[in-house]
Amino acid sequence: MKATSLPLVVTMGDPAGIGPDITIDLWRRRAQLDLPPFAVLGSPTLLAERAKLLNAEIAVSEIDQVSDVLSQAEALPVLPLENQVLAKPGKPDRNNAEAILEAIRRAVDLTMSGKAAAIVTNPIAKAILYDAGFGFPGHTEYLAELAKQHTDEAHMPVMMLAGPDLNVVPVTIHIPLRKVPEQLTTDLIVETGLTTSCDLESRFGISKPRIAVAGLNPHAGESGSFGSEDLAIIAPAIAEMRAQGVNAFGPLPADTMFHAEARRDYDAALCMYHDQALIPAKALAFNDTVNTTLGLPFIRTSPDHGTAFDIAGSGKAHSGSLLAAMKLAARMAAHQRKQRHVGD
Ligand SMILES: NC(=O)c1ccc[n+]([C@@H]2O[C@H](COP(=O)([O-])OP(=O)(O)OC[C@H]3O[C@@H](n4cnc5c(N)ncnc54)[C@H](O)[C@@H]3O)[C@@H](O)[C@H]2O)c1
Ligand SMILES: N[C@H](C(=O)O)[C@H](O)COP(=O)(O)O
């Protein structure tokens, strides 16, 4: 494994999903994959059982602190959770909710206290957590709340799906489609665009990132004939972003902005709702795209897929997106370290 100054922390995700499977698969192939060092926040027993089920000949070791990762390379290093984890693959259980959330909380604590370089989250099933009283739509919004608890400042989290040939940002995220027009405001688009531009520069090293802004309606509204939001809400947001120094342009008709030639013109596409952004990203590169949260005081990445309960424990889960998430987290952490050195 590649030496970086601090390891990553990888959360267990829903233990009944494919998080354990893909984590085990990457560990099994760690030498050939040149993985950054990492510790899993999860259940050593569950991971050992899942490895056995998958016929993966790996050892699992319980560690006390993240730094123990650096001195042992033989067994998958796991920081055990205080909450109990009992899970059968493919059978989500709300009794695991506390453990799932504990892993996320502790990952933030470890990263904010400087013991880990970045957080990589395995997928969670949101409905299970809602049943158990979880009050946030997903990781993205929960991580912003945890960041606030650490810093006493509000943070607006921005979801970006980063793929080999396409970065997309949904301005509205986990809301019903019918609520998109009412929640889409010029201010929200501007704030999302500013964070995207700033973090593409500071975390990805892209100088003066080009931000293509999608329209909401067919043909970006066809001059107002197919809807008013493109002219009344999105165009003023682009003007404001440009006034604040962001290299933004649009609104573009969403159906023609994702083909290969169009993608060469921008570094990220700012999209108006979840599926407008995530469909092209996942269609182009499902196994290589990473979900990352911008706008927070720590680095977080995640695979672009969900818990895939239908294939958990079967050996069919592709681990490419988790691999890409780990590598991107390590790359962003290294970039941040380099920038801090320059600033010293
Ligand atoms: N980062 C996250 O925590 C995250 C991301 C997306 C969805 N989810 C959650 O996951 C749950 C299930 O969501 P879904 O069914 O819409 O999406 P999903 O990504 O879990 O599954 C969609 C389909 O893709 C397949 N698939 C997914 N990942 C795969 C992989 N790595 N290898 C091979 N096949 C794979 C699944 O078997 C399934 O057929 C939901 O509760 C959702 O909220 C979580
Ligand atoms: N919207 C994401 C997707 O569909 O891939 C997913 O739900 C993950 O969201 P969080 O990272 O907020 O859990």
Side-chain angles (χ1 to χ4, degrees), residues 121-124 126 137-143 159 161 170 173-174 274-275 278 282 286 291-293 300-306:
T121 59
N122 264 305
I124 54 175
K126 297 161 179 61
H139 280 108
T140 304
E141 300 82 356
Y142 185 44
L143 290 167
M159 178 183 285
L161 277 279
I173 308 180
H174 291 128
H274 183 277
D275 285 5
L278 273 60
K282 295 189 185 187
F286 191 47
N291 174 352
T292 183
T293 313
R300 177 263 176 158
T301 66
S302 180
D304 66 351
H305 55 76

Side-chain angles (χ1 to χ4, degrees), residues 90-101:
K91 303 264 179 260
D93 184 341
R94 56 178 285 183
N95 291 317
N96 289 318
E98 265 316 308
I100 293 167
L101 297 176

Side-chain angles (χ1 to χ4, degrees), residues 47-237:
L47 284 156
E49 283 171 5
R50 189 69 58 88
K52 205 167 156 200
L53 179 68
L54 293 166
N55 291 320
E57 289 186 7
I58 64 154
V60 174
S61 82
E62 199 170 307
I63 58 170
D64 296 327
Q65 46 198 357
V66 189
S67 56
D68 292 346
V69 165
L70 300 171
S71 58
Q72 72 91 30
E74 295 312 311
L76 174 64
V78 183
L79 286 161
L81 300 173
E82 281 164 19
N83 286 284
Q84 203 185 25
V85 180
L86 288 172
K88 290 205 174 79
K91 303 264 179 260
D93 184 341
R94 56 178 285 183
N95 291 317
N96 289 318
E98 265 316 308
I100 293 167
L101 297 176
E102 181 196 337
I104 301 169
R105 268 195 314 272
R106 283 180 51 193
V108 172
D109 292 347
L110 289 166
T111 309
M112 287 299 290
S113 62
K115 296 190 173 104
I119 301 166
V120 181
T121 59
N122 264 305
I124 54 175
K126 297 161 179 61
I128 310 292
L129 299 177
Y130 302 155
D131 274 358
F134 181 59
F136 300 89
H139 280 108
T140 304
E141 300 82 356
Y142 185 44
L143 290 167
E145 169 59 23
L146 295 175
K148 184 174 168 211
Q149 288 172 16
H150 275 272
T151 60
D152 278 335
E153 275 174 41
H155 301 270
M156 191 186 94
V158 169
M159 178 183 285
M160 184 166 90
L161 277 279
D165 297 311
L166 178 66
N167 297 323
V168 288
V169 171
V171 171
T172 59
I173 308 180
H174 291 128
I175 58 169
L177 190 54
R178 73 183 149 73
K179 292 207 169 156
V180 168
E182 74 197 48
Q183 294 206 9
L184 200 59
T185 62
T186 298
D187 283 353
L188 181 64
I189 299 168
V190 170
E191 267 206 70
T192 308
L194 291 175
T195 298
T196 304
S197 177
C198 172
D199 282 15
L200 280 176
E201 198 145 357
S202 67
R203 292 188 174 177
F204 288 71
I206 300 174
S207 168
K208 294 224 173 295
R210 300 158 302 163
I211 312 286
V213 184
L216 175 68
N217 296 297
H219 310 177
E222 191 78 35
S223 306
S225 306
F226 298 162
S228 59
E229 293 85 355
D230 308 85
L231 286 177
I233 294 170
I234 304 171

